[in-house]
Amino acid sequence: MDATAQAQPNIALVKYWGKRDTRLNLPVTGSLSITLDALWTRTRVEFDALLRHDELRLNGAEDPATLARASACLDLLRRRAGTALRARIDTRNNFPTAAGLASSASGFAALVVAADAALGLGLDRRTLSMLARQGSGSAARSLFGGFVGMAAGQRDDGADAVAQPLLDAAAWPLAVVVAVTSDRRKHVGSGAGMERSRRTSPFYPAWLDSAAADLAAAQRAVQARDFAALAELSEHNCLKMHAVMQSSRPPLLYWNGATVDCMQRIRALREDAGEQVFFTVDAGAQVKAVCTPDAAPRVAAALAELSGVEQVLSSRLGEGARLLDDSEAP
């Protein structure tokens, strides 16, 4: 009873920061994201009657914190399958882990797809999205490719807090250039950070009040393929979220100097050089430049020359999580 799956991280253009239920990982607002192609997580899940407890290796090393979250997620699938079998999980990322590049999103999306297949459940994508969300809030979106919307939902059980595809990657083939300015794990995880902001940031109520309008405007921009509108909205939404983070007590300052330099360079590329490009930054120091495919080489070169940029990754938009054959196992 084993299966292997691959999922790609997603980058939120309209973000959620805050939960209405921390146990079920229910977001307090909706969100909109793009799924990447070149960055991936590959996860193999094997259920074994000889195991007394779940085991997990992340990039070849044991990771107790991730194991606890993965076991809780697998319990959801085990209950549906009517089994208590423990699992051996081997997972690998080809990009920095827990550093603001949505490795938990791709990780839990790959986990539920692999476990579903290994257990022979055959669950639909909506259900898998709901289950992945309980492992990591943003993982619900990595079940799908291209442009993806995530509903906050209203039900207490979270059954309507799921993701759905908005536009295929091929329908608007944008590119993403990632400036990695630190490969260190972030000092405060997203879940803990969200709760701190909810409790202490004076800007948090305004963040919630503007979320629905931002999401609706972004959805219109995507459907119209209006790059300028999406660029303005995404940068504004990003900076509002970081204002909430930075006004928390104690403050959540995920940026470093190179993060700010990258944002400034991206704005200069757009305003002075006429490139179609905009930035977004999640809970981490990495900067994602969303641009047209023809601009990607120039954007990558401009970011790579900045001091403090350790690595530049380039990707097109990609597909949702999928099963792999044995030759592609991690």
Side-chain angles (χ1 to χ4, degrees):
M1 299 174 64
D2 66 274
T4 301
Q6 174 174 307
Q8 287 74 239
N10 68 80
I11 305 301
L13 304 183
V14 173
K15 304 177 187 300
Y16 87 91
W17 188 254
K19 298 176 182 179
R20 62 184 176 92
D21 186 309
T22 56
R23 182 180 65 86
L24 294 176
N25 256 353
L26 299 180
V28 72
T29 63
S31 56
L32 185 150
S33 65
I34 49 178
T35 302
L36 303 185
D37 179 29
L39 282 60
W40 48 254
T41 298
R42 290 179 177 172
T43 300
R44 181 175 183 268
V45 177
E46 179 186 12
F47 290 92
D48 187 340
L50 298 180
L51 291 177
R52 299 183 62 184
H53 53 78
D54 292 327
E55 299 177 356
L56 180 143
R57 297 185 71 83
L58 172 59
N59 294 330
E62 295 182 356
D63 188 325
T66 301
L67 172 60
R69 294 173 63 191
S71 290
C73 189
L74 287 181
D75 284 343
L76 302 173
L77 288 106
R78 279 188 279 247
R79 282 198 288 271
R80 288 174 177 265
T83 183
L85 288 175
R86 300 293 102 183
R88 185 177 295 107
I89 308 162
D90 187 9
T91 185
R92 180 165 63 93
N93 300 321
N94 74 338
F95 61 97
T97 300
L101 286 175
S103 58
S104 64
S106 54
F108 279 94
L111 178 68
V112 298
V113 170
D116 170 67
L119 291 170
L121 288 170
L123 300 174
D124 60 40
R125 285 278 155 154
R126 178 184 174 89
T127 303
L128 291 173
S129 176
M130 180 185 66
L131 295 171
R133 185 209 70 232
Q134 294 182 63
S136 170
S138 56
R141 300 189 302 248
S142 280
L143 266 295
F144 304 98
F147 294 80
V148 182
M150 174 73 187
Q154 296 181 334
R155 292 179 48 158
D156 290 340
D157 64 1
D160 55 350
V162 295
Q164 62 179 1
L166 298 177
L167 190 68
D168 289 343
W172 195 10
L174 298 180
V176 180
V177 178
V178 181
V180 178
T181 67
S182 174
D183 62 1
R184 296 179 181 177
R185 285 179 175 261
K186 50 194 175 187
H187 59 288
V188 179
S190 294
M194 289 180 194
E195 184 61 15
R196 182 185 299 182
S197 294
R198 184 190 67 81
R199 290 186 291 102
T200 66
S201 172
F203 298 163
Y204 188 75
W207 164 250
L208 300 186
D209 289 344
S210 64
D214 282 0
L215 185 59
Q219 290 172 338
R220 290 194 298 269
V222 168
Q223 295 301 332
R225 279 70 151 180
D226 188 336
F227 189 90
L230 187 62
E232 190 281 330
L233 188 284
S234 297
E235 288 189 354
H236 183 58
N237 185 266
C238 165
L239 294 174
K240 282 194 297 186
M241 182 183 73
H242 282 276
V244 173
M245 294 172 173
Q246 293 168 20
S247 61
S248 302
R249 302 180 73 175
L252 295 161
L253 188 58
Y254 289 106
W255 298 348
N256 56 36
T259 306
V260 178
D261 289 344
C262 287
M263 290 189 289
Q264 297 281 25
R265 177 61 59 89
I266 290 165
R267 295 187 74 170
L269 286 169
R270 182 175 68 245
E271 295 168 5
D272 300 338
E275 299 286 9
Q276 286 195 295
V277 60
F278 64 88
F279 67 76
T280 190
V281 186
D282 294 298
Q286 329 310 345
V287 180
K288 297 90 173 180
V290 182
C291 58
T292 54
D294 65 293
R298 296 185 294 274
V299 171
L303 294 177
E305 68 183 22
L306 293 176
S307 176
V309 173
E310 299 177 359
Q311 184 182 11
V312 173
L313 308 171
S314 295
S315 178
R316 297 293 184 94
L317 304 192
E319 300 177 353
R322 62 186 177 89
L323 288 171
L324 301 178
D325 59 38
D326 291 341
S327 66
E328 298 174 288

